[in-house]
């Protein structure tokens, strides 16, 4: 698994948090909201997450821990997409296959 440099993660996390504060201070400003969403998207791509909040949490964990500890933690976390890959329960598979 390729991980970004911690300095870049820290920089993008600071940018995301700064724009989050600005956006919360003026939620009606479309330019601010767009920039905030852009910073969240960048953090998502950097951390390999689908949600900006998840990406920010992952970035904070990554910056606090060593590389080995972070990777071990990622392996232990349940993944929602794994449940989708398995398909229907085995008893349903046998029933559908018999048609």
């Amino acid at each position: 698994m390729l991980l970004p440099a911690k300095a870049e993660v820290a920089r993008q996390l600071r940018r995301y948090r700064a724009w989050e504060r600005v956006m919360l201070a003026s939620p009606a400003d479309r330019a601010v909201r767009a920039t905030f969403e852009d910073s969240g998207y960048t953090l998502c791509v950097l951390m390999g997450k689908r949600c900006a909040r998840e990406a920010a949490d992952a970035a904070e964990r990554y910056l606090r821990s060593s590389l080995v500890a972070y990777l071990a933690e990622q392996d232990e976390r349940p993944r929602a997409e794994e449940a989708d890959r398995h398909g229907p329960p085995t008893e349903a598979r046998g029933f559908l296959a018999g048609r």
Side-chain angles (χ1 to χ4, degrees):
M1 176 181 197
L2 258 158
L3 289 172
K6 284 194 173 190
E8 183 62 21
V9 172
R11 188 174 76 80
Q12 291 299 331
L13 183 60
R14 280 193 309 270
R15 180 175 181 260
Y16 174 78
R17 293 294 186 208
W19 280 108
E20 182 180 41
R21 287 188 298 274
V22 173
M23 199 274 304
L24 290 171
S26 55
D29 188 334
R30 290 182 182 198
V32 169
R33 181 173 290 275
T35 306
F36 169 65
E37 289 175 358
D38 181 55
S39 68
Y41 176 77
T42 302
L43 200 56
C44 285
V45 171
L46 197 62
M47 297 309 298
K49 302 293 181 185
R50 292 183 179 197
C51 166
R53 189 176 308 254
E54 236 180 73
D57 290 344
E60 288 171 350
R61 281 193 311 274
Y62 178 55
L63 293 172
R64 277 195 311 262
S65 66
S66 69
L67 179 62
V68 173
Y70 179 77
L71 290 174
E73 179 184 312
Q74 293 304 304
D75 287 340
E76 292 172 4
R77 298 182 81 118
R79 295 189 179 120
E81 63 268 6
E82 285 180 358
D84 296 338
R85 290 184 194 160
H86 295 298
T90 54
E91 58 273 357
R93 285 185 199 152
F95 176 75
L96 295 174
R99 283 188 174 183

